[in-house]
Amino acid sequence: MAEQKTTQENILKSQQKCIALFSLLCCFAVLVALIFSSVDVWGEDEDGITEENCNFKCRIVLVENIPEELDLSPAGEGTLGLSVGLHGLLDMAKRSVEIVSPRWDLTSREQQAGHFSGNEGQRLFERLLGLKSRGVKLKVTSSLTDSAELTALSAHDAEVRYVNMTALTKGHLHSSFWVVDRKHIYIGSGSMDWRSLAKMKELGVLLYNCSCLALDLHRIFSFYWQLQYKDYIPSIWSKRVTALYSRDEPLLIHLNNTDANVYMSTSPDLFCPKDRTKDIEAIERVIQEAKSFIYVSVTDYLPLVNRTSRGLHVTRYWSEIDEALREALVLRRVTVRLLLSFWEKTHPYTINFVSSLSSLCIQQMDCSLEVKFFSTNEGLHRDDKGLNNNKYMVTDNALYIGNLDWVGSQFTFNAGTGLVIKPTGEHLDDKPSILDQMKAAFERDWFSQYAKSLQHIMTQMGSPLKTPALSLAGRAMERRERSGK
Ligand SMILES: *[C@@H]1O[C@H](CO)[C@@H](O)[C@H](O)[C@H]1NC(C)=O
Ligand SMILES: *[C@@H]1O[C@H](CO)[C@@H](O)[C@H](O)[C@H]1NC(C)=O
Ligand SMILES: *[C@@H]1O[C@H](CO)[C@@H](O)[C@H](O)[C@H]1NC(C)=O
């Protein structure tokens, strides 16, 4: 009997032990989960800049690369060349430079062969290599696997992380921005490619001393940073990558003494963690809020999405931007100008879609949509020399600068980043505002000899047009059928 009792006691004890151990384990698991979801486990130094103490009194500067052979003047006083602007950022860097770029081709031999003055790409690359000696940490995220330049940067102490876009969306990492010391920002069409500093026409902005916004852009960078070699998007995200500001809760800052609401947006949908505004939502909002005009400058415009589904190519109409523009034109009488590029990758359907848009205004008073094509020579651009690579929209009350062309497949598969600026108060400076400068840049291009009318382009192309094969210039942008996997 006594023996049986002790056995029972033993069983009871070990059961209790088990329960205690189990609870402990549970607690531990919860703790680990909490730590992973809220605390930075990547050991990043936040530089002591937080949402509470960040700086919102920012300076903004418009940067452009205008190729030498183009007869176009800067958009106004106080604007900078892209190359000068980026070198300026590197001069300011004290601790860190974070770069995302779709291309890395600063040192190409083509540059010397083409006799482009200054060798700007090479100069910038050498500055980046030199960051190490100044104790400035360089971090790069990229979807390129075989870049000699990234290998060289790694060898000079840069930290380079690879994002497998093929596995994630079958697209490309098209984001193009810099975050310097979590204070200064560059975002725009120009990337780490010597063409962006020499022969292509680029536009972007620099924001100085703007740590409140830089913190949020840094979160987008961190998002890519954490995707290193992943072939899926985690469903639970660290708080370090969720959005701080959005189109419904923008950040109020002073931009050169003018109050403005600002926020960042990203693409594709899969890359928008909690609260992050999608690029397309940002564009829609800016179009919807325009009162008198919308000026758009992008290389390509095509409301179509291409995907591959079980080995079949499927093309679908992608209506988002088209719809928003139609509403603005017909229901709100907003004047729309589209400045596209005419080059070798211009999809023939572009002409049909923009003709369709402009025919909306037939026999309508105060309805105006005009389309022009930027082209530096008579025939088709065989080359990207003088190509207008701009990707922005300016309206009477806001601007949007992005990294993607207005093509359905781009927003669906490619990773891009956008910035929306909407002034809220009186412009008190006697100098032109950033909106004034962007509008001036647009009008300069629009009224230049390089902007050809739709009619002109149609005669150039001859008719009838050959029915195009519905593939976007050989780019593999199809998303893997998710249900198949
Ligand atoms: C903002 O201020 C900076 C520095 O004073 C100046 O260089 C820049 O041109 C200004 N930007 C605008 C849009 O006026
Ligand atoms: C990227 O993902 C694809 C598809 O999952 C895989 O085939 C490829 O090897 C990956 N690339 C790298 C460099 O990991
Ligand atoms: C940024 O702020 C610092 C310190 O307040 C100031 O010295 C510097 O001139 C500012 N830079 C710009 C571009 O406004």
Side-chain angles (χ1 to χ4, degrees), residues 282-312:
I283 291 172
E284 279 171 350
R285 176 66 62 91
V286 171
I287 293 178
Q288 281 159 6
E289 290 182 349
K291 301 255 167 4
S292 62
F293 70 85
I294 299 169
Y295 295 163
V296 179
S297 184
V298 290
T299 310
D300 297 311
Y301 179 87
L302 192 68
L304 293 178
V305 178
N306 276 350
R307 10 174 140 242
T308 305
S309 162
R310 298 193 185 83
L312 287 178

Side-chain angles (χ1 to χ4, degrees), residues 179-249:
V179 182
V180 174
D181 292 345
R182 297 210 193 138
K183 274 189 196 151
H184 319 297
I185 290 173
Y186 158 74
I187 180 167
S189 64
S191 62
M192 296 300 98
D193 180 342
W194 69 275
R195 295 172 191 82
S196 286
L197 306 173
K199 65 176 187 169
M200 295 204 294
K201 191 166 145 319
E202 309 280 5
L203 183 144
V205 288
L206 301 175
L207 285 113
Y208 304 111
N209 284 342
C210 208
S211 50
C212 292
L213 190 62
L215 276 181
D216 205 24
L217 189 56
H218 167 71
R219 288 186 169 210
I220 297 176
F221 183 85
S222 304
F223 183 94
Y224 302 143
W225 195 247
Q226 291 167 38
L227 286 178
Q228 152 136 295
Y229 287 111
K230 282 203 171 65
D231 56 4
Y232 61 94
I233 303 275
S235 50
I236 299 174
W237 280 104
S238 150
K239 273 190 192 155
R240 293 262 185 258
V241 303
T242 53
L244 289 171
Y245 313 105
S246 67
R247 70 173 180 170
D248 297 318
E249 284 175 49

Side-chain angles (χ1 to χ4, degrees), residues 418-432:
L419 168 66
V420 174
I421 298 178
K422 184 166 183 177
T424 56
E426 288 274 306
H427 177 63
L428 298 173
D429 255 342
D430 46 359
K431 291 186 195 132

Side-chain angles (χ1 to χ4, degrees), residues 143-145 162-168 170 229-231 480 485:
S143 63
L144 303 171
T145 43
Y162 170 70
V163 180
N164 193 342
M165 288 298 292
T166 313
L168 296 169
K170 290 217 157 85
Y229 287 111
K230 282 203 171 65
D231 56 4
R480 168 184 51 191
K485 280 258 155 180

Side-chain angles (χ1 to χ4, degrees), residues 59-61 77-79 256 429 431-434 437:
R59 298 259 145 209
I60 186 163
V61 170
E77 228 179 285
T79 64
N256 286 28
D429 255 342
K431 291 186 195 132
S433 70
I434 188 69
Q437 287 186 353

